[in-house]
Amino acid sequence: MADSEREAPSACKRLKQDTIFEKFKTDFKDLGRLKSAYKSLCFDRRNPLIAQEIISCNAATGYGISFSRASCETRPYTQEIYPFGSIFTDGIELLNDFFTKTDYVPDNMTFRLLLAKLIHFLMDEKSHAAIRKIQRTDVSETELMIILAEHFFSRLSLSNTYSMDHFAKYKGNLLCKCGSCKPESLAANFDDTSIGNRDCWHGSLDILLGSTESFIHVASVEEELSPGEIAPFEVKLKNVEERRFRSQTLAQVIAFSFLQKASHPSLENFLIPCMAATKKELKIYFYDCKYDILLESRGIPLLVEIPGSNSQPLNFEAIIAAWLVLNYKYLCSGPFDSLLKAPKANFFKHAEPCLEIYEKELLYQHVGEQTTILDYGFLDITKPKFVWPSNLSCKPVDSENEY
Ligand SMILES: [Zn+2]
């Protein structure tokens, strides 16, 4: 953020008296592990971002494909590997100052609030305990969404508000595993989170921060038969690497990047991230719809083992990564020179017949509701599908008026 946007000194001076920075200095006892996690996440080649090439996808079939049926296969450009911190130079500068300057408090009000959010969460033992708690118990998809939205992502995002997919409201208990959150306040956080266009990729996002600031795709629960048994069912959580889950996440981040570019053309860059989350780990994808760049991180565990200790604290790498990603509008510096010169993801080529829809006709909310309902197994009211004649442009239907 430019220096010119700094707030008036009097306001900054007043805010410097806030206790959070002082409290961190006196109460936080794990600074060594925090600094080490920061260096490891942002600069270590074991935490790379790897550029991807799309080798096949169903982004432009001529009829709508919901995210749950999306297919997107990629392969890595093995020469195009970058440190995680390379696209977050603004965030790195802020963290460097924080770790190296004595009593550092940013003058810039936005950066100050961002840093306060991070510090507050680092010391938020109640939320840490809630995230640890779900490791030891079975959780439904809805319960996982609630605990991650309420006790992790919304605590680190500058946007205090969040929405969860309203279809998930009917798929599980509206109880937070922390044991304290009120069901009625949780219920108010479910809403229509659909994006896309009925004639291409579309569907609902699991967790949406702020007013379409960023989103998270949460791993759903699959029920599988135990070997040799008809019942009971064994509940098994998907892995972030699981092929179908990965395809869905890629389709979502690509559609979201186009939507962000159309909705917020003044953004400094369009390298838009999303997080795929299970109760065990995070994985982060970025897509830039201006330069056709697709990046993928490694899986980052939510907890870490401490040698010689039975405790499993939260992984500071996951906390810093989530903080950088959720606040990418302020902390992500976008693609740099060598990334711009790297081979492309080739989404433009694969989506060519419908690229104009992705660029100009994506919607937020009220998107493809019938298909979405079908995917959730409630109603069979899909309309017949048809194939676009190849010599016609892909003109979308007006989904808001159609229903
Ligand atoms: Zn709670």
Side-chain angles (χ1 to χ4, degrees), residues 356-368:
E356 202 170 319
I357 299 180
Y358 285 98
E359 289 173 338
K360 297 178 181 171
E361 305 286 350
L362 296 193
L363 300 170
Y364 167 54
Q365 295 191 322
H366 311 297
V367 183

Side-chain angles (χ1 to χ4, degrees), residues 50-56 72-78 80 246 250 294 296 343-346 349-350:
I50 305 176
Q52 303 287 316
E53 176 191 16
I54 296 171
I55 51 178
S56 69
C72 189
E73 300 293 329
T74 72
R75 65 179 160 224
Y77 287 116
T78 50
E80 306 300 333
R246 185 175 183 278
L250 288 171
L294 181 62
E296 179 174 348
K344 300 299 179 191
N346 283 335
K349 189 178 82 181
H350 289 285

Side-chain angles (χ1 to χ4, degrees), residues 147 150-151 176-181:
I147 205 111
E150 181 66 34
H151 290 287
C176 183
K177 289 283 186 182
C178 80
S180 302
C181 295

